[in-house]
Amino acid sequence: MKMSRPIAQLVMQRCDALGRISDEPRRLTRTFASPGMRQANKLVGAWMREAGLQVREDVALNLLGRWNSGKAGAKTLLLGSHLDTVRDAGKFDGTLGVLVAIAAVQLLRRRKVQLPFNLEIAGFSDEEGVRYQTACLGSRALAGTLTSADLARIREKHIVKARRPRGEFLGYAEVHIEQGPVLEEKDLPVGVVVAIAGQSRLRVEFEGRAGHAGTVPMNLRQDALAGAAEFILNVESCAGKKSSLVATVGQIEAAPGASNVIPGCAVLSLDVRDQMDSRRLAAVHALRTKARAIARPRGLKLNWLPVQQTPAVQCDKYLTRIFSRCIARRGLEALKLPSGAGHDAAAISAICPVAMLFVRCKGGISHHPAESVKPGDVAIAIDVLVDFIQSLEGRFDSQATR
Ligand code: GLV
Ligand code: MN
Ligand code: MN
């Protein structure tokens, strides 16, 4: 553990440096293919090179650093997370996982470890989906799972060429801040993820009729925003207090958008998540029925437009067990927990087994500039990841993981 303390400080400094690379003044926002992202890739690419990795950017702008084992026919262990952010982000979501992976390689190189497999670190170009509302463009391009609907939406068709051959990767491991309060509550620095919640992302449009706010009587209005407001309260109450179902309207736009004009159109984002796919799909169905029931008596037209559906993903049992053992070897409880947040790991699970290590974050706060992690916890995460990589040695000459 001693070895990784200074390198954990370096990771913290690097998180600070990346936290200053933004598309916007005074707040951290780095979206897919933006100038900020290109600058971040340049800086992280330099750190990867310094760690001895061969660096390239693929056509989906994923930053890739590779360590070839030199062994003929060797498969590749993929590590990483994302380098894009939400709007007004914290500096650890995604970034920490990429930098911890680079730190792990630095330590392995310093210890002159020879790996029997290739190792590659990915800084994925889009996990948050801020620019196009479809998440994980970078990791899904690499996994080869972008749909024609995605491509129509993003108009960057060439990114399908980032696809990597199935069978190339023996596994994927991602370190990420927990983004929730459980580890802090249990006083644990790290935990192991067992499953990642499924997501439905939709665009919901209420169309009414714009009109004069002073002259149209209340009973003759088709106020799209009032209908949307009623719907939003239903979204809030559809999520059960006990189940893992969560539902959010995070964006709203009203047009034409003037204080003296009745809103003729309201466009909402809808994000529904659950560990159980059937419960998530049932909730989306029930919300659609509710939206129709709200729209009809108000004389509104409803457009219900699915944007993205991601099923829940189970982390690989074998890789998860290795993470648990590496945590236990440090005298810590290896707490297993689900992830409500989406992750590149869910996208990469389409092509290889995946595992995730969560790092405690202050107050469970995330998607907010107040995101905070302790250097001591980062040091433990680096140690666990190094141990994880070395524990796979020899067991992964070529074959599957289960
Ligand atoms: C990404 O952080 C997501 O879960 O939306
Ligand atoms: Mn993230
Ligand atoms: Mn995020």
Side-chain angles (χ1 to χ4, degrees):
M1 203 177 304
K2 267 189 204 111
M3 280 280 286
S4 47
R5 286 266 164 188
I7 208 158
Q9 287 298 349
L10 179 68
V11 167
M12 298 299 280
Q13 284 161 18
R14 288 176 168 179
C15 286
D16 284 343
L18 279 169
R20 290 189 289 271
I21 299 180
S22 175
D23 302 327
E24 299 182 300
R26 291 181 293 281
R27 61 180 195 171
L28 174 57
T29 304
R30 229 173 24 236
T31 61
F32 178 70
S34 68
M37 158 136 303
R38 287 173 196 277
Q39 205 184 328
N41 276 7
K42 226 170 156 183
L43 184 58
V44 178
W47 294 333
M48 283 178 166
R49 247 174 240 113
E50 209 180 291
L53 299 171
Q54 290 169 14
V55 181
R56 71 183 178 96
E57 223 177 42
D58 70 13
V59 289
L61 297 185
N62 295 313
L63 180 70
L64 301 165
R66 190 167 169 90
W67 175 2
N68 281 317
S69 68
K71 295 209 163 38
K75 287 196 181 190
T76 301
L77 174 67
L78 187 63
L79 305 176
S81 194
H82 58 100
L83 291 172
D84 69 319
T85 73
V86 291
R87 280 200 183 92
D88 201 11
K91 58 190 177 198
F92 298 103
D93 178 356
T95 300
L96 182 71
V98 180
L99 299 184
V100 162
I102 296 173
V105 166
Q106 278 178 269
L107 289 183
L108 290 167
R109 291 282 206 186
R110 207 180 284 167
R111 293 172 194 171
K112 308 232 178 311
V113 170
Q114 301 274 329
L115 294 176
F117 42 78
N118 310 312
L119 190 151
E120 194 160 328
I121 300 178
F124 291 113
S125 58
D126 172 85
E127 187 274 339
E128 305 287 6
V130 171
R131 180 154 174 203
Y132 295 109
Q133 281 73 58
T134 59
C136 292
L137 287 179
S139 39
R140 287 191 299 134
L142 188 138
T145 54
L146 290 171
T147 62
S148 46
D150 293 320
L151 296 174
R153 174 175 283 270
I154 64 179
R155 295 189 296 272
E156 310 223 21
K157 293 197 171 36
H158 63 284
I159 76 170
V160 293
K161 295 202 183 110
R163 177 180 197 152
R164 300 285 286 272
R166 214 163 263 266
E168 178 178 358
F169 298 112
L170 52 85
Y172 171 73
E174 177 167 355
V175 175
H176 201 284
I177 55 168
E178 183 201 343
Q179 305 180 277
V182 178
L183 291 173
E184 192 171 66
E185 197 183 295
K186 303 253 181 207
D187 196 21
L188 293 170
V190 292
V192 194
V193 180
V194 280
I196 303 167
Q199 302 185 13
S200 297
R201 294 192 185 200
L202 300 101
R203 176 183 164 100
V204 182
E205 299 174 351
F206 289 93
E207 283 179 31
R209 189 181 312 137
H212 198 295
T215 61
V216 184
M218 295 309 283
N219 63 343
L220 295 180
R221 293 185 178 202
Q222 289 162 264
D223 183 333
L225 186 55
E230 191 180 342
F231 176 68
I232 292 170
L233 292 177
N234 276 277
V235 170
E236 188 190 29
S237 57
C238 87
K241 285 209 165 57
K242 289 205 183 98
S243 81
S244 54
L245 182 77
V246 287
T248 308
V249 173
Q251 277 177 312
I252 179 162
E253 244 176 75
S259 64
N260 60 348
V261 182
I262 300 161
C265 182
V267 180
L268 318 179
S269 65
L270 175 61
D271 178 311
V272 183
R273 305 187 187 199
D274 202 304
Q275 300 295 333
M276 200 192 285
D277 288 333
S278 55
R279 196 160 49 203
R280 169 177 53 86
L281 294 171
V284 171
H285 183 77
L287 282 170
R288 183 179 193 172
T289 305
K290 193 76 213 175
R292 280 195 191 120
I294 290 167
R296 207 174 306 117
R298 292 174 173 273
L300 305 174
K301 180 170 178 249
L302 175 73
N303 299 317
W304 188 262
L305 307 162
V307 173
Q308 188 172 11
Q309 299 254 27
T310 315
V313 162
Q314 300 298 314
C315 290
D316 181 71
K317 286 200 171 60
Y318 174 74
L319 295 179
T320 299
R321 205 161 51 236
I322 302 262
F323 260 140
S324 296
R325 273 191 213 144
C326 298
I327 294 171
R329 273 203 279 271
R330 273 143 196 89
L332 296 163
E333 180 193 344
L335 185 76
K336 294 196 170 93
L337 66 176
S339 172
H343 294 290
D344 295 295
I348 297 300
S349 73
I351 51 167
C352 66
V354 302
M356 287 192 75
L357 181 76
F358 269 173
V359 181
R360 163 169 59 187
C361 61
K362 191 173 174 191
I365 296 168
S366 167
H367 284 189
H368 189 280
E371 259 172 27
S372 173
V373 298
K374 292 184 190 164
D377 293 356
V378 173
I380 291 169
I382 296 169
D383 268 340
V384 168
L385 185 62
V386 167
D387 194 2
F388 173 88
I389 295 165
Q390 293 197 274
S391 302
L392 298 180
E393 265 187 72
R395 311 181 75 147
F396 262 139
D397 302 331
S398 59
Q399 295 310 310
T401 56
R402 286 156 229 263

